[in-house]
Every structure is written in C-alpha cells, then in structure tokens.
Amino acid sequence: MNWTLEVVIVPVSDIDRAKDFYSERLGFTVDHDTKIGDGMRIVQLTPPGSGCSIVIGEGAVPKMEPGSVKGLQLVVPDIGQAHKELMTRGVAVTDVQVLGRNPSPTPDPLDNVGFIFFEDPDGNSWGVQQISSRGESKPA
C-alpha cells in the first residue's frame, strides 16, 4: 500500500497576504480558494511539479500559531536557477549553501547538499534542496 503525503497545513495570520506570497512570489498554483461560511475559508496551493499541496485558511483548519511551521522543504533540480527565480520574484532568500558532503560522486557537486532558505511573511521557514536526478525543471 502506498502512503502519500498530500497536504501540509501552514498557519498564517493573513490569508490573502499569504495567498499572494505563495502564488505570486513562489509560483504555487492556487488549486482552490473556498469560503465555506462565516469565518471558514480554505486556500490550497501546490508547488509546480509537486504531489503535495499546502493549505492556509481559517475555521476549517487546525488552529496553530502563525509562523510556527519550520523546516518545510522543496526539492529542485537546479539550486542556482531556483535561487535566481526567487530573487527575481522578490523573495528574501539566503545564498546557496553546501550542507554536508555526498557519500559518493554525483553528476553535479551541489546534488543533495546544495540548499537555500527563506521564510513566508509570517515566519514559516522553508528550505530548498538540489536533487537533479528527480526530473526536469519546470517554469514557475
């Protein structure tokens, strides 16, 4: 039996601001923005090429402190290109960092060990890791 991770809830203080950040700055697709009733709204967004989405909202999602999710991680085939795209989109992102070393040679020295980091407007933190063997890069 396959067990797939499909949704991660990301707590935010302002749904519209977060929706704009994730869709306009990061290029996530807005799958839906549903108002269920007064004080109940769910926005689901998916990173390009991902099988897992994030959900932001109110009322219909668990109450969590905005900015309390740390260490979410995206994987890209080219960390340099990802860094450039995020910078172009106005995201405050770290320089490319090498964390650790590969136990065996890889086609690109940044595979598995090349990372960049950023936060959303509430302080939820994200890492981006290069793993080029997972497929081709798709435009954001």
Side-chain angles (χ1 to χ4, degrees):
M1 170 179 0
N2 290 336
W3 297 51
T4 61
L5 179 63
E6 301 282 336
V7 173
V8 174
I9 296 174
V10 177
V12 299
S13 61
D14 181 318
I15 297 168
D16 290 320
R17 179 182 71 175
K19 178 183 172 186
D20 181 62
F21 176 80
Y22 284 103
S23 64
E24 300 302 318
R25 297 281 178 103
L26 298 183
F28 288 20
T29 299
V30 178
D31 301 318
H32 60 84
D33 183 345
T34 306
K35 185 170 184 178
I36 301 166
D38 288 340
M40 295 181 69
R41 179 179 173 196
I42 296 175
V43 180
Q44 181 172 319
L45 304 107
T46 304
S50 180
C52 185
S53 303
I54 64 166
V55 167
I56 57 176
E58 64 178 338
V61 296
K63 182 93 171 126
M64 299 188 305
E65 184 67 29
S68 62
V69 173
K70 306 296 182 190
L72 293 167
Q73 187 165 313
L74 299 166
V75 172
V76 296
D78 184 330
I79 199 72
Q81 180 182 344
H83 184 266
K84 182 179 177 182
E85 284 184 23
L86 291 176
M87 293 289 291
T88 300
R89 291 172 175 262
V91 176
V93 62
T94 66
D95 290 335
V96 174
Q97 301 175 27
V98 175
L99 302 179
R101 56 175 233 189
N102 282 304
S104 58
T106 59
D108 184 310
L110 290 175
D111 276 351
N112 306 314
V113 297
F115 288 84
I116 55 178
F117 300 93
F118 66 90
E119 292 184 346
D120 75 5
D122 284 292
N124 295 299
S125 68
W126 291 79
V128 182
Q129 178 185 23
Q130 176 174 308
I131 302 178
S132 64
S133 62
R134 290 216 177 150
E136 297 179 26
S137 176
K138 297 180 181 178

